[in-house]
Amino acid sequence: MAVTARERKLLLDGEWIETGAWHEVRSPYSGEIVGRVARAGSAEARRAVDAAARAMAEPLPAHRRAEILEGTADIVAERQEEIARTISDEAGKPVKAARVEADRAVYTFRSAAAEARTLAGEVVPMDASPAGAGKLAFTARVPIGVIGAISPFNFPFNLVAHKVAPALAAGCAVVLKPASQTPFSALLLAELETEAGLPPGWLNVLVGPAAEIGDVLVEDERVRLISFTGSAEVGWNLRERAARKKVLLELGNATPVIVEADGNVEEAATKVAANAFSFAGQSCISVQRAYVARSAYDDFLSRLLPQVEALRVGDPGEDETDVGPVIDEGAHERILEWIEEAKAQGATVLAGGETTDEGLIRPTVLGDVTPEMKVSCLEVFGPLCTVSPYDSLDEAFALANGTEYGLQAGIFTSDVRKALAAGAALEFGGVLVNEAPTFRADQMPYGGVKASGNTREGPHYSVREMTEERLVVISL
Ligand code: NAP
């Protein structure tokens, strides 16, 4: 399906501006031009921070912020198809998955609106110590300051919503730098927020060289918090460089799922087939490693492989497509190299392992892998899943933990004791029981440990990060 060519300016202090330079975006599927965007540099980044700081000098009351967020949710719901097509065109995401993303964003905004209305501090029990007696104290939650938001290509609408909506709920203005591969979804979101009544300066969107814009966000002291979602390498580097500000990191994973013999093997196989390959495995919580009790291993594979073979690989713009392209040539080559390297080290191809006639990577299942292979311990971020048998649950926990990452993990079991043991033993930010570890509802506290990050997103949790507690003590 042909993509629609677009042209967008940048949003800076409520104005859509041109810069004299353009950034072109091409479809990861067909190479067609998706459109061009005015290209920002450090001068625009500094102007954006000025605008955000000016906006925050005139705070918006909570009821107004909530109304804008609710209004945005309504518009997102009305324009779901336009949003989904934008995501699909620029990210190469199958349009049915893009519709789910657009739909989820409605709840991200609604949930942030609820936070705006209920944001409150607490009363401190001062007479609990002799020193405090005779005093009244309370805390208020105040906005932390201007927020620099940097977002990745893979959920170019809803992950932008996860930064912008809680920031506004918290009373913070935002300078947003979306991924260069997917700027149109972010600029569309900004248009919808403006339509919902967001005043100038509260959201500024810059597309341009990442390091140049990132440097301004790191160096300008008025940017009090950087909210980053993307790769671990870039994220931890930003955190090191911005030692005096809060840097929230939502990074990658090499997502494991454990299938016990007492679990529902059919359901586990179906969920792995759906969640290892959706959007060609380019979700930070795509299932990448399945560990299956040895007694259920053959049964699991016999249910998994036909479902993987049945996935429709092709044009992301078609309604029936399950698996489209990966984001660019570099990612494509790297994934194929990792498959070849694993094969050379003894892995067996159980499905896929090659490209289709039109050059897309087929959903790939590898057996006989070892924990040291790249496909086991690094983040593949492609349509690939490994399947390995294990002999004891402790061994499965050790295998699942055998990565520097720790975002989400899953287990299928009918034994509540094993579920609880998994909750205790798996070193991840979230442990999903009888559900794919790819599951996320937008109000959940979502985030990782170890190399996967240092925060939790979900409007309730983000708003806490984006506000500071101010204590007021009154001597009576
Ligand atoms: P990426 O290459 O790290 O890019 C993410 C963002 O960082 C982009 O906007 C990019 O801009 C920007 N960036 C790159 N270098 C920068 C620098 N030096 N200073 C400031 N910003 C810089 O990641 P990606 O390939 O887009 O996304 C995939 C990664 O994101 C995967 O590792 C995935 O697991 C992770 N992810 C995590 C979550 C989560 O919630 N935990 C969710 C989704 C994705 P340019 O595009 O202009 O280079």
Side-chain angles (χ1 to χ4, degrees):
M1 180 174 282
V3 301
T4 316
R6 304 159 169 87
E7 182 172 298
R8 278 273 184 190
K9 298 174 187 172
L10 300 179
L11 182 60
L12 220 166
D13 203 10
E15 304 279 339
W16 294 95
I17 62 151
E18 282 188 20
T19 58
W22 295 93
H23 167 75
E24 196 173 81
V25 177
R26 284 180 179 270
S27 156
Y29 173 67
S30 63
E32 286 169 277
I33 292 179
V34 172
R36 62 175 197 163
V37 187
R39 187 168 176 275
S42 48
E44 286 78 19
R46 277 190 284 273
R47 280 174 58 195
V49 179
D50 291 345
R54 266 199 310 276
M56 285 191 68
E58 287 182 44
L60 287 173
H63 70 87
R64 187 73 201 107
R65 306 198 306 266
E67 281 160 12
I68 294 166
L69 290 163
E70 279 156 4
T72 309
D74 291 342
I75 301 172
V76 170
E78 278 161 27
R79 292 173 61 177
Q80 189 220 32
E81 188 61 18
E82 178 189 353
I83 296 166
R85 288 282 164 199
T86 305
I87 296 169
S88 179
D89 284 356
E90 64 180 354
K93 178 175 286 193
V95 69
K96 64 181 171 189
R99 290 188 185 114
V100 174
E101 179 177 347
D103 204 36
R104 279 179 52 188
V106 175
Y107 296 94
T108 307
F109 277 102
R110 292 213 193 288
S111 166
E115 292 304 318
R117 287 200 198 278
T118 52
L119 182 60
E122 60 188 24
V123 173
V124 182
M126 292 302 283
D127 64 352
S129 74
K135 293 190 165 47
L136 171 71
F138 63 90
T139 61
R141 296 211 73 95
V142 296
I144 193 167
V146 172
I147 289 178
I150 303 178
S151 55
F153 76 82
N154 63 339
F155 285 84
F157 195 86
N158 194 36
L159 287 185
V160 169
H162 265 288
K163 303 201 178 305
V164 171
L168 185 57
C172 299
V174 179
V175 176
L176 167 70
K177 198 218 86 62
S180 299
Q181 289 138 327
T182 55
F184 290 104
S185 303
L187 288 159
L188 178 56
L189 183 145
E191 178 194 316
L192 306 186
E193 284 232 58
T194 308
E195 217 173 282
L198 189 68
W202 285 91
L203 174 59
N204 307 277
V205 187
L206 305 168
V207 179
E212 201 176 316
I213 296 170
D215 283 353
V216 173
L217 299 180
V218 166
E219 282 157 22
D220 195 312
E221 288 186 359
R222 292 168 299 172
V223 177
R224 300 296 307 138
L225 182 154
I226 296 178
S227 174
F228 176 87
T229 301
S231 61
E233 191 189 347
V234 176
W236 289 110
N237 180 271
L238 271 177
R239 170 138 187 264
E240 267 172 37
R241 291 168 50 221
R244 293 185 58 183
K245 46 187 83 178
K246 212 172 188 182
V247 180
L248 309 181
L249 300 175
E250 287 281 359
L251 310 171
N253 202 27
T255 310
V257 64
I258 295 168
V259 183
E260 272 286 278
D262 61 31
N264 185 332
V265 175
E266 171 66 24
E267 189 184 10
T270 301
K271 292 207 166 182
V272 169
N275 291 291
F277 306 107
S278 169
F279 191 28
Q282 298 169 111
S283 158
C284 42
I285 40 176
S286 289
V287 176
Q288 181 179 322
R289 301 176 290 146
Y291 297 110
V292 185
R294 197 173 293 279
S295 61
Y297 184 74
D298 290 341
D299 185 24
F300 178 80
L301 274 186
S302 71
R303 295 170 195 268
L304 174 73
L305 296 180
Q307 297 190 66
V308 175
E309 302 286 358
L311 292 168
R312 290 276 293 266
V313 185
D315 183 345
E318 302 290 344
D319 280 343
E320 301 73 29
T321 299
D322 299 302
V323 182
V326 294
I327 190 71
D328 58 27
E329 196 52 33
H332 181 93
E333 292 304 323
R334 177 187 55 76
I335 294 160
L336 291 175
E337 268 171 33
W338 286 17
I339 293 172
E340 287 311 313
E341 187 179 297
K343 278 161 62 182
Q345 293 169 345
T348 314
V349 176
L350 302 172
E354 57 186 8
T355 54
T356 62
D357 292 344
E358 55 178 352
L360 304 181
I361 302 173
R362 278 195 197 285
T364 297
V365 180
L366 296 181
D368 300 311
V369 296
T370 60
E372 299 75 30
M373 291 178 185
K374 285 182 185 146
V375 293
S376 300
C377 63
L378 301 183
E379 182 182 40
V380 175
F381 224 55
L384 185 151
C385 181
T386 65
V387 187
S388 311
Y390 64 81
D391 294 305
S392 73
L393 196 50
D394 282 343
E395 183 193 351
F397 290 155
L399 286 165
N401 287 336
T403 161
E404 60 171 344
Y405 290 113
L407 187 46
Q408 289 203 150
I411 181 168
F412 285 82
T413 176
S414 57
D415 184 337
V416 72
R417 287 166 303 185
K418 291 178 184 171
L420 292 172
L426 292 172
E427 295 158 3
F428 291 79
V431 175
L432 285 287
V433 178
N434 295 332
E435 183 49 86
T438 320
F439 175 83
R440 178 180 184 186
D442 292 280
Q443 73 278 18
M444 276 167 41
Y446 175 76
V449 298
K450 295 161 66 180
S452 291
N454 61 1
T455 186
R456 297 293 177 269
E457 272 189 356
H460 178 71
Y461 307 92
S462 298
V463 168
R464 291 194 69 79
E465 295 274 31
M466 292 171 174
T467 51
E468 287 172 333
E469 244 168 1
R470 180 166 303 157
L471 175 72
V472 177
V473 181
I474 302 172
S475 209
L476 299 171

